[in-house]
Amino acid sequence: SQQGEEDPQALSIQEGENATMNCSYKTSINNLQWYRQNSGRGLVHLILIRSNEREKHSGRLRVTLDTSKKSSSLLITASRAADTASYFCATAYDGNNRLAFGKGNQVVVIP
Amino acid sequence: DTAVSQTPKYLVTQMGNDKSIKCEQNLGHDTMYWYKQDSKKFLKIMFSYNNKELIINETVPNRFSPKSPDKAHLNLHINSLELGDSAVYFCASSQAASTYEQYFGPGTRLTVT
């Protein structure tokens, strides 16, 4: 089954810096979603980008999607300590009633 | 108001016991899910119900049995608990099956001793 895979797995940055993480997948998708998970909490949906979109913004988040390379990136600008979390990409494709989650990126923002 | 709630938040029990986890969503969604997250944070789908009908039933031991009394509730019952069942279990819901974004509950940390 299709699976998103994030890269890198762990990232440690200073507050104010930008954080970028990538996700790759294997087959054609309907959309790709990014989720955040704070320690000890459930996943929170951040942003959804459809297969016919190339870039999407939400606040300090920017997501890109390159369907030719089957990859996506999540950029967090001007990071804050509260951005410390694990970030997961998830792919959805037609004909399937599920999301396939990647392994997650751990991001630590140092104040 | 909590959108997706789960009880209990923590569950510590001995091998061989039977336990249940309850989930409720007040978002008016048609579809609900159970996921298992292991110690490496890998998230695996277990079950999904759409309007009380089972639509996803992944390869999980038949000791795990979901029940959906109505579309706002999806419970998970586990028989004869084993050490390997220790994990965090998440309930989630979405507007419909397929490709919509999902809303997750806070998780239930199950520890089997």
Side-chain angles (χ1 to χ4, degrees), chain A residues 3 30-31 33 35 37 39-45 48 50 85-86 88 92-99 101-104 106, chain B residues 9-10 31 33 35 37 40-45 48 55-58 88 90 97-107 109:
Chain A
Q3 185 97 25
N30 176 289
N31 67 64
Q33 304 177 27
Y35 289 78
Q37 183 179 30
S39 180
R41 302 284 188 93
L43 280 72
V44 174
H45 180 262
L48 181 154
R50 301 189 193 287
S86 292
F88 293 84
Y93 53 103
D94 292 327
N96 195 298
N97 295 319
R98 70 194 68 195
L99 294 178
F101 282 85
K103 296 174 186 173
Q106 175 65 43
Chain B
K9 188 166 175 60
Y10 300 97
T31 309
Y33 309 82
Y35 287 89
Q37 188 174 46
K40 296 183 179 178
K41 294 200 172 182
F42 180 67
L43 203 64
K44 181 184 173 185
I45 182 80
S48 177
I55 58 171
I56 294 175
N57 187 357
E58 285 295 279
V88 182
F90 286 100
S98 187
T99 59
Y100 290 86
E101 59 263 39
Q102 296 183 11
Y103 294 77
F104 282 75
R109 181 173 292 277

